[in-house]
Each structure stands twice: as C-alpha cells, then as structure tokens.
Amino acid sequence: MSDYQTILLERRGRVGIITLNRPKALNALNSELMREVVSVVEELDADTGIGAILITGSERAFAAGADIKEMQPKSYMDVYLDDFFAAWDRLASARTPLIAAVSGYALGGGCELAMLCDVLIASDTAVFGQPEIKLGVIPGIGGSQRLTRAVGKAKAMEMCLTGRNMKVEEAERAGLVSRIVPVADLLDDAIATATTIAEMSLPVAMMAKEAVNRSFESSLREGVLFERRVFHSTFATEDQKEGMSAFIEKRTPNFQHR
Ligand code: CAA
C-alpha cells in the first residue's frame, strides 16, 4: 500500500487516492503531512497514467486544520524563514484534476485544502469553517481568498471574523460544494466521479481545468479569448478526432490521452 507516515496512497486504475491518516489528531495538517501530500500529488501529477487525484480523510474529519500543537510554540522568525505553509501552494500548480471527498470536519487548513481541489464532493455530515481567529491567527493556506471567491464576501467575512462553521447544506447553497451525498456513499461516489474524469482525455481535461481556473485570474474578455485559443488547441489532439468520431459512429470513445 504505502510507505508514508501520515497518509495512505492507493492507485485504482487511473485514479490516485490519497487518504489523510492521522486519526488521533482528526487529520490535523502537520509539516510531515504537508510534505507527504504535496510530494505525492506532484508525483501523481507527473504520471500520465493518472487522470484524477482524489484527496479524502476519515468519516469524522477530512481535516480539523493545521496542527495547533505544532504551531503553538513557533516564533515569527520560525514561520517567516520557513515560509510556513507555502508548500501547499504547489497543489494549485497541479495540472491533473484534484477531487476532494469531505466528510466531517473541514476546518481551517482542512477547509483550505478542500478548496485547493477542483471538485469538492461532501457528505451530509460535512462541516466547513475558518476558525483561526479563535486561536489569534487568520487563515494561512488561502482561506480568506478562496472562501471569498467561492461563497462571496458576506459569508466569508462573517466566517473569518466570528469563526462560525457552515454546515454542508449552507455550503452547497453558497457554492462551496459541488454535491452532497450520504456519508455511506461518499467514497464510492467520489471515486466514480474521479474515474469519470480520469477516463476523459488527460490533455483535454488539463486544458478544461486551466480554462476554468483562468476565470479567477483575468477579465471576462481575456478569459473568453484564452478559452477560445485553448479550444482551438484541442484540435491538435488525437483525442478530439477520437471523441468526435466515436459520437458519429455511435460508440464509446477510447481516449489515448494524446
Ligand atoms: N491541531 C492539532 N490537534 C488537533 C486539531 C488541530 N487542528 N484538531 C483536533 N486535534 C486533536 C485534539 O487536540 C484531540 O487530541 P487529544 O485527544 O490528544 O486531546 C483530538 O484531535 C480530538 O479532538 P477533540 O477532542 O477536540 O474532538 P472533538 O470532537 O471534541 O472536537 C473539533 C472536534 C471541533 C474539530 C475540535 O477538535 C477543534 O475545534 N479543533 C480545532 C479546529 C481549528 O481550530 N482548526 C484551525 C486550526 S489553525 C489553521 O488551520 C491555520 C490555517 O489557516 C492553516
């Protein structure tokens, strides 16, 4: 299975499954877990045999945040010189689609890790929040930015200022979550979604992800132009010919990821 201390890694067909595995600490994100998750995501991302990466936790907790016991004694110089948490930014550079399957607590860094993923599927027990203010800090893995983009200023501001959590129904209504599924079905459902994505043409899925993400970084006009240029470039793939031929021939496409 895996040689890691804080995660489990499984490859199921074209899907890489990373399970956060610090049950006694509700999967709190310590430095070792950060190193392991980031390095495994980069390894899977570089492997063209993998078409989707699923990140999940336990039923009780996706992750209850950064590890407070590890952080408590750190000084400003410790966190500044280490550029503490900067390694998480590397997940945002992954080109392979990332899917988060969230059950239970997704708080602080746990919510931020879920928001670093491209598709967020949640169980009916999921709870999201940025409670850092209650510890005398603020979000540090992008929560103030990604939560605001996902749910808008009013909810994000209230959550970051009061530390109140959001149950999954509210999270879905607000646009943070793609879909809610019963907790017993979460993993199967998320694996099925990841498998669907992984069976699409990998380069085209990468292009689709890049185009959607561009909407956060550009004006509408520039984003639409970017999309059209990337759309044009899908015609350079063999999979465009295969996908369209399969439709015309009334058969399932057999993408070669080229
Ligand atoms: N860091 C370290 N340990 C944690 C942890 C965390 N973020 N969250 C939970 N744990 C540990 C607890 O200390 C406890 O360990 P012990 O048994 O050794 O005492 C164990 O996990 C179980 O937790 P609880 O007994 O507290 O479980 P509960 O069911 O009573 O409560 C909870 C669950 C509401 C999630 C509660 O654990 C909690 O509030 N956790 C902290 C949530 C939080 O503040 N997260 C933000 C962290 S800061 C951050 O993430 C910064 C950033 O932006 C990156």
Side-chain angles (χ1 to χ4, degrees), residues 24-26 28 60 64-69 71 85 105 107-109 112 131-132 135 138-141:
K24 287 188 186 140
L26 301 185
R60 187 165 168 222
D67 191 313
I68 300 165
K69 292 168 189 165
M71 285 187 293
F85 291 154
Y105 296 113
L107 302 180
E112 294 168 303
E132 289 87 348
L135 301 167
I138 71 166
I141 313 176

Coordinates of all heavy atoms in Angstrom, one line a residue, residues 24-26 28 60 64-69 71 85 105 107-109 112 131-132 135 138-141, ligand 1:
K24 N -5.9 10.1 15.3 CA -5.9 10.6 16.7 C -6.0 12.1 16.7 O -6.4 12.7 17.7 CB -4.7 10.1 17.4 CG -4.8 8.6 17.7 CD -3.7 8.1 18.6 CE -3.8 6.7 18.8 NZ -2.5 6.0 18.8
A25 N -5.5 12.8 15.7 CA -5.5 14.3 15.7 C -6.5 14.8 14.7 O -6.4 16.0 14.2 CB -4.1 14.8 15.3
L26 N -7.5 14.0 14.3 CA -8.5 14.4 13.4 C -7.9 14.9 12.1 O -8.3 15.9 11.5 CB -9.5 15.5 14.0 CG -10.2 15.1 15.2 CD1 -11.2 16.2 15.7 CD2 -11.0 13.8 15.0
A28 N -5.2 16.5 11.6 CA -4.5 17.8 11.6 C -3.3 17.8 10.7 O -2.6 16.9 10.7 CB -4.2 18.2 13.1
R60 N -15.1 11.0 10.3 CA -15.2 12.0 11.3 C -14.6 13.4 10.9 O -15.1 14.4 11.3 CB -14.6 11.5 12.6 CG -14.8 12.4 13.8 CD -14.5 11.7 15.1 NE -14.5 12.7 16.2 CZ -13.6 12.7 17.2 NH1 -12.6 11.7 17.2 NH2 -13.6 13.6 18.1
A64 N -9.1 18.7 10.6 CA -9.5 19.7 11.6 C -8.6 20.9 11.6 O -8.5 21.6 12.6 CB -9.7 19.1 13.0
G65 N -7.8 21.1 10.5 CA -7.0 22.3 10.5 C -5.5 22.0 10.6 O -5.1 20.8 10.7
A66 N -4.7 23.1 10.5 CA -3.3 22.9 10.7 C -3.1 22.4 12.1 O -4.0 22.6 13.0 CB -2.6 24.3 10.5
D67 N -1.9 21.8 12.3 CA -1.7 21.2 13.7 C -1.4 22.3 14.7 O -0.3 22.9 14.7 CB -0.6 20.2 13.5 CG -0.5 19.3 14.8 OD1 -0.5 19.9 15.9 OD2 -0.4 18.1 14.7
I68 N -2.3 22.5 15.6 CA -2.2 23.6 16.6 C -1.1 23.3 17.5 O -0.3 24.3 17.9 CB -3.5 23.8 17.3 CG1 -4.6 24.2 16.3 CG2 -3.4 24.9 18.3 CD1 -6.1 24.1 16.9
K69 N -0.9 22.1 17.9 CA 0.2 21.7 18.8 C 1.6 22.0 18.2 O 2.5 22.4 18.9 CB 0.1 20.3 19.3 CG -1.2 20.0 20.1 CD -1.5 18.6 20.3 CE -2.9 18.4 21.0 NZ -3.4 17.0 20.9
M71 N 2.1 24.3 15.9 CA 2.3 25.7 15.6 C 2.5 26.5 16.9 O 3.2 27.6 16.8 CB 1.0 26.3 14.9 CG 0.9 25.9 13.5 SD -0.5 26.7 12.7 CE -1.9 26.0 13.5
F85 N 3.7 27.0 5.4 CA 2.5 26.7 4.6 C 2.7 27.0 3.1 O 1.8 26.7 2.3 CB 1.3 27.5 5.0 CG 0.7 27.1 6.4 CD1 0.0 28.1 7.1 CD2 0.9 25.9 6.9 CE1 -0.5 27.7 8.3 CE2 0.3 25.5 8.1 CZ -0.4 26.4 8.8
Y105 N -15.4 17.2 9.8 CA -14.8 18.5 9.9 C -13.8 18.8 8.8 O -12.9 18.1 8.5 CB -14.0 18.6 11.2 CG -14.8 18.4 12.5 CD1 -14.7 17.3 13.3 CD2 -15.8 19.4 12.8 CE1 -15.5 17.2 14.4 CE2 -16.6 19.3 13.9 CZ -16.4 18.2 14.7 OH -17.2 18.0 15.9
L107 N -12.0 22.1 8.7 CA -11.8 23.4 9.4 C -10.5 24.0 9.1 O -9.5 23.2 9.0 CB -12.0 23.2 10.9 CG -13.4 22.6 11.3 CD1 -13.4 22.5 12.9 CD2 -14.5 23.5 10.9
G108 N -10.4 25.3 9.1 CA -9.1 25.9 8.9 C -8.4 25.4 7.7 O -8.9 25.4 6.6
G109 N -7.1 24.9 8.0 CA -6.4 24.3 6.8 C -7.1 23.2 6.2 O -6.8 22.9 5.0
E112 N -9.2 24.8 3.7 CA -8.4 25.4 2.7 C -7.8 24.3 1.8 O -7.7 24.5 0.5 CB -7.2 26.1 3.4 CG -7.7 27.4 4.1 CD -6.7 28.0 5.0 OE1 -6.2 27.3 5.9 OE2 -6.4 29.2 4.9
P131 N -11.9 28.8 11.5 CA -12.0 29.2 12.9 C -10.7 29.9 13.5 O -10.5 30.0 14.7 CB -12.3 28.0 13.7 CG -11.7 26.9 12.9 CD -11.7 27.3 11.4
E132 N -9.7 30.2 12.6 CA -8.4 30.6 13.0 C -8.5 31.8 14.0 O -7.6 31.9 14.9 CB -7.5 31.0 11.8 CG -7.1 29.8 11.0 CD -8.0 29.4 9.9 OE1 -9.2 29.9 9.9 OE2 -7.6 28.6 9.0
L135 N -8.1 31.3 17.5 CA -6.8 31.0 18.0 C -5.8 32.2 18.0 O -4.6 32.0 18.2 CB -6.2 29.8 17.2 CG -7.0 28.5 17.1 CD1 -6.4 27.7 15.9 CD2 -6.9 27.8 18.4
I138 N -5.1 34.2 11.5 CA -6.0 34.2 10.4 C -5.7 33.0 9.5 O -4.7 32.4 9.7 CB -5.9 35.6 9.7 CG1 -4.6 35.7 8.8 CG2 -6.1 36.8 10.6 CD1 -4.7 36.8 7.8
P139 N -6.5 32.7 8.5 CA -6.2 31.6 7.6 C -4.9 31.9 6.9 O -4.5 33.0 6.7 CB -7.4 31.7 6.6 CG -8.5 32.4 7.3 CD -7.9 33.4 8.2
G140 N -4.2 30.8 6.7 CA -2.8 30.9 6.1 C -2.6 30.0 4.9 O -1.4 30.0 4.4
I141 N -3.6 29.3 4.4 CA -3.4 28.5 3.2 C -4.4 28.9 2.2 O -5.0 28.1 1.5 CB -3.5 27.0 3.6 CG1 -2.7 26.6 4.8 CG2 -3.0 26.1 2.4 CD1 -2.8 25.1 5.3
Ligands
CAA1 N1 -4.4 20.5 15.6 C1 -3.9 19.6 16.5 N2 -4.7 18.7 17.1 C2 -6.0 18.7 16.8 C3 -6.6 19.6 16.0 C4 -5.7 20.6 15.3 N3 -6.2 21.5 14.4 N4 -7.9 19.4 15.9 C5 -8.2 18.4 16.8 N5 -7.0 18.0 17.3 C6 -6.8 16.9 18.3 C7 -7.3 17.3 19.7 O1 -6.3 18.0 20.3 C8 -7.5 15.9 20.3 O2 -6.3 15.4 20.7 P1 -6.1 14.8 22.2 O3 -7.0 13.6 22.2 O4 -4.7 14.4 22.3 O5 -6.6 15.9 23.1 C9 -8.1 15.1 19.1 O6 -7.6 15.8 17.9 C10 -9.6 15.0 19.1 O7 -10.1 16.3 19.1 P2 -11.2 16.8 20.2 O8 -11.1 16.0 21.4 O9 -11.1 18.3 20.3 O10 -12.5 16.3 19.4 P3 -14.0 17.0 19.5 O11 -14.9 16.0 18.7 O12 -14.3 17.3 20.9 O13 -13.9 18.4 18.7 C11 -13.2 19.8 16.8 C12 -13.6 18.4 17.3 C13 -14.4 20.7 17.0 C14 -12.8 19.7 15.4 C15 -12.1 20.3 17.7 O14 -11.0 19.3 17.7 C16 -11.5 21.6 17.2 O15 -12.0 22.6 17.4 N6 -10.3 21.5 16.5 C17 -9.5 22.6 16.1 C18 -10.1 23.3 14.9 C19 -9.3 24.5 14.5 O16 -9.2 25.5 15.2 N7 -8.8 24.5 13.3 C20 -8.0 25.5 12.7 C21 -6.5 25.3 13.0 S1 -5.5 26.7 12.6 C22 -5.3 26.6 10.9 O17 -5.8 25.7 10.3 C23 -4.5 27.7 10.3 C24 -4.5 27.8 8.9 O18 -5.2 28.6 8.3 C25 -3.8 26.8 8.1

